[in-house]
Amino acid sequence: MAQTEVSSVVSDFIGFLNASPTAFHAVDEAKKRLQEIGYEQVLEREDWKLEAGKRYFFTRNHSTIVAFAIGKKYVAGNGFHIVGAHTDSPCLKLKPVSEVKKAGFLEVGVQTYGGGLWHTWFDRDLTVAGRVMIREEKSGSVSYSHRLVRIEEPIMRIPTLAIHLDRGVNDGFKVNTQSHLVPVLATSIKAELNKAVSVNGPTDKTMNKSSHHALLLQIIADKLGCQPDQICDFELQTCDTQPSIVAGAAKEFIFSGRLDNLCMSFCSLKALIDATYSESDLENESGVRMVALFDHEEVGSNSAQGAGSPAMLDALSRITNSFDSDSKMLTKAIQRSFLVSADMAHALHPNYTDKHEENHQPKLHGGLVIKHNANQRYATNAVTSFIFREIAVNHNLPVQDFVVRNDMPCGSTIGPILASGVGIRTVDVGAPQLSMHSIREMCAVDDVKHSYEHFKAFFQEFSQLDTKITVDA
């Protein structure tokens, strides 16, 4: 890749990150990019009329999105070539009753979501983003709409305790997530003054008036261009206001929140878009190229829109049945399919080298990491790793391997969930990164390029490569 093209991919990624403070926003951004090149949205609650050579997508809960391009030579029973990732990241989500008043301060009650490095959330300039349900009335008719919201300016902060009041803090900073991890919104006095001079202040109809601070509701309503009493409910989370950037003395790193797993979401989405950009890209394709970006991976995937739901199987089934209703066709299709489970990997940390097994130390700039675990915490096996590695060899792309130390527990991904739930061949991979689950993570510019190229090559070449592989014969 030329340097200008590398810069283009990375610049595009930075734009994606900065447009995606929440899973809802990430799906919305993905949806816009797909529609820009002609992908057609289909709705799960309606019948699908699909055609070979066409491109489609659907969303579920607006936090999961599945996009697919059907090859012109596709027939029912042919396989699906899928890259799966997730849209969610550890964060602090507002409680159903978020109004907290303590010591003359207005604070916002939050829940911890996922396994975050919560100490990194202190002393950051925070805001809120998410989705809001709005009541709208036109000509005497009431309707309810789902609206995304993001407050750009910092409105909250979780201040640390001064060292003078906690002399032993540097011996070990232990966060009590219930009492310490509560963002400060305002002082009570200033909040009352602002309320008194507000022209369009909250009315008695405000959503659960005792549940949330009137000041917070007013800020959200102003952003949405509605009145606070039109807000019926919301799902909001705290977000860092510092933008994602290319950084480092050699401009080789990306500093950002949510790299796990928006990096893999972006690289897979861009790879699909670029591998299906024109009609000619699907001319000789006999399978279905697909990207599935799921919500709730960080908390186990057990939701209606998580990888543990029937979403993936539903998609495979409906696409297959659109061409042939014979139930045996889906079984054949699954056995001819392949899933790349893409979730960020742990790069070797220069200050903690003992945390990695000595023969498996993924490094920044080293390309995608193939993850292995004998106890099936990852779904990789010899066949699936070979397929993914062979694609790398054909394109001169670097690839690495990771196995967790025997004396440490191993994380997991959507890979084993989908491999066992659907019965699809799966390889677990991810780009290497540092500071995983921090509010501010880092990865390498080169690995964004490597990931994008690897996924794109997978979409373009898997059909032919798979015909050369024999296992269950």
Side-chain angles (χ1 to χ4, degrees):
M1 244 185 184
Q3 188 60 41
T4 53
E5 195 174 348
V6 172
S7 298
S8 174
V9 172
V10 172
S11 176
D12 199 13
F13 177 42
I14 296 296
F16 183 85
L17 284 169
N18 286 325
S20 307
T22 73
F24 303 117
H25 288 82
V27 165
D28 201 58
E29 181 66 13
K31 178 179 174 179
K32 290 175 184 175
R33 290 168 179 251
L34 291 164
Q35 289 177 323
E36 281 176 1
I37 70 157
Y39 272 71
E40 177 187 341
Q41 183 170 7
V42 291
L43 304 178
E44 287 193 282
R45 61 176 60 189
E46 296 180 0
D47 292 333
W48 292 1
K49 295 180 180 179
L50 309 179
E51 298 178 35
K54 301 294 185 180
R55 303 164 301 175
Y56 307 90
F57 74 91
F58 68 87
T59 65
R60 182 178 286 195
N61 190 51
H62 209 83
S63 59
T64 286
I65 186 166
V66 178
F68 55 95
I70 306 172
K72 286 191 177 181
K73 294 184 177 180
Y74 172 81
V75 293
N78 285 1
F80 295 80
H81 319 146
I82 310 165
V83 180
H86 65 89
T87 57
D88 61 320
S89 302
C91 64
L92 302 174
K93 297 198 174 190
L94 272 63
K95 292 179 177 178
V97 179
S98 72
E99 185 181 55
V100 177
K101 295 181 179 179
K102 287 192 296 187
F105 287 92
L106 302 188
E107 296 186 303
V108 179
V110 294
Q111 304 178 74
T112 56
Y113 175 86
L117 288 172
W118 302 124
H119 67 275
T120 65
W121 286 74
F122 285 77
D123 296 332
R124 302 294 300 186
D125 299 340
L126 303 176
T127 189
V128 294
R131 70 165 168 192
V132 182
M133 292 301 296
I134 300 292
R135 185 182 69 253
E136 298 175 303
E137 187 170 344
K138 294 180 182 178
S139 304
S141 176
V142 175
S143 62
Y144 301 90
S145 63
H146 155 114
R147 302 268 297 278
L148 300 189
V149 66
R150 177 185 190 177
I151 309 302
E152 280 81 8
E153 62 269 19
I155 61 171
M156 301 188 302
R157 189 178 176 92
I158 306 172
T160 51
L161 183 64
I163 192 169
H164 313 80
L165 304 178
D166 187 7
R167 292 291 183 180
V169 66
N170 287 326
D171 297 327
F173 181 36
K174 295 182 179 179
V175 180
N176 183 310
T177 53
Q178 174 62 28
S179 57
H180 299 158
L181 211 58
V182 190
V184 171
L185 180 69
T187 59
S188 300
I189 292 176
K190 286 292 184 180
E192 284 301 314
L193 288 174
N194 286 342
K195 182 179 178 182
V197 300
S198 176
V199 176
N200 296 312
T203 70
D204 289 338
K205 295 181 181 179
T206 298
M207 177 195 90
N208 300 325
K209 188 175 180 182
S210 61
S211 299
H212 305 284
H213 290 298
L215 177 60
L216 179 60
L217 291 174
Q218 187 65 57
I219 291 171
I220 296 167
D222 289 345
K223 184 66 178 180
L224 291 171
C226 69
Q227 294 299 315
D229 63 350
Q230 291 179 260
I231 299 175
C232 301
D233 209 341
F234 56 56
E235 288 179 70
L236 298 178
Q237 66 188 59
T238 58
C239 308
D240 191 6
T241 56
Q242 186 173 0
S244 306
I245 57 169
V246 175
K251 298 298 181 185
E252 62 183 301
F253 303 127
I254 294 172
F255 297 164
S256 174
R258 308 174 307 286
L259 291 176
D260 175 21
N261 193 35
L262 290 187
C263 182
M264 294 293 91
S265 294
F266 167 81
C267 291
S268 59
L269 180 71
K270 182 172 177 60
L272 179 69
I273 287 173
D274 289 354
T276 61
Y277 194 83
S278 65
E279 287 190 14
S280 61
D281 290 323
L282 296 172
E283 195 73 44
N284 295 313
E285 177 60 75
S286 60
V288 177
R289 300 173 182 176
M290 176 182 287
V291 161
L293 309 179
F294 293 99
D295 195 4
H296 295 147
E297 188 276 342
E298 296 292 356
V299 292
S301 297
N302 292 319
S303 70
Q305 51 275 358
S309 75
M312 174 68 81
L313 193 57
D314 287 348
L316 305 188
S317 176
R318 293 191 69 169
I319 295 168
T320 302
N321 290 341
S322 292
F323 293 84
D324 192 324
S325 59
D326 186 343
S327 61
K328 294 190 293 293
M329 290 300 177
L330 178 60
T331 304
K332 287 172 60 178
I334 290 172
Q335 295 308 308
R336 293 173 174 175
S337 298
F338 192 93
L339 168 68
V340 178
S341 167
D343 203 348
M344 297 296 277
H346 299 293
L348 180 68
H349 196 303
N351 303 333
Y352 301 90
T353 56
D354 60 320
K355 296 297 182 180
H356 274 71
E357 207 270 343
E358 63 178 335
N359 291 324
H360 300 88
Q361 300 185 339
K363 296 176 176 62
L364 297 181
H365 305 299
L368 279 168
V369 179
I370 300 178
K371 306 176 184 180
H372 308 259
N373 185 262
N375 297 304
Q376 296 301 297
R377 297 291 289 171
Y378 302 129
T380 306
N381 62 33
V383 176
T384 61
S385 65
F386 163 75
I387 290 172
F388 201 69
R389 202 183 307 274
E390 187 69 6
I391 291 170
V393 169
N394 292 341
H395 289 264
N396 198 29
L397 290 168
V399 69
Q400 311 180 76
D401 291 285
F402 174 74
V403 173
V404 75
R405 289 171 56 102
N406 286 336
D407 55 1
M408 294 177 65
C410 184
S412 193
T413 68
I414 63 172
I417 294 171
L418 291 170
S420 61
V422 178
I424 188 172
R425 291 174 293 172
T426 302
V427 63
D428 266 296
V429 306
Q433 73 161 96
L434 295 171
S435 304
M436 188 180 288
H437 288 195
S438 169
I439 195 172
R440 198 76 176 166
E441 303 171 326
M442 66 182 287
C443 69
V445 164
D446 288 345
D447 291 320
V448 175
K449 176 200 71 169
H450 296 323
S451 300
Y452 158 73
E453 284 187 301
H454 208 144
F455 294 152
K456 184 179 178 182
F458 164 72
F459 285 129
Q460 293 172 331
E461 298 181 9
F462 175 78
S463 288
Q464 290 187 334
L465 177 59
D466 194 41
T467 62
K468 303 174 183 179
I469 298 169
T470 302
V471 178
D472 296 309

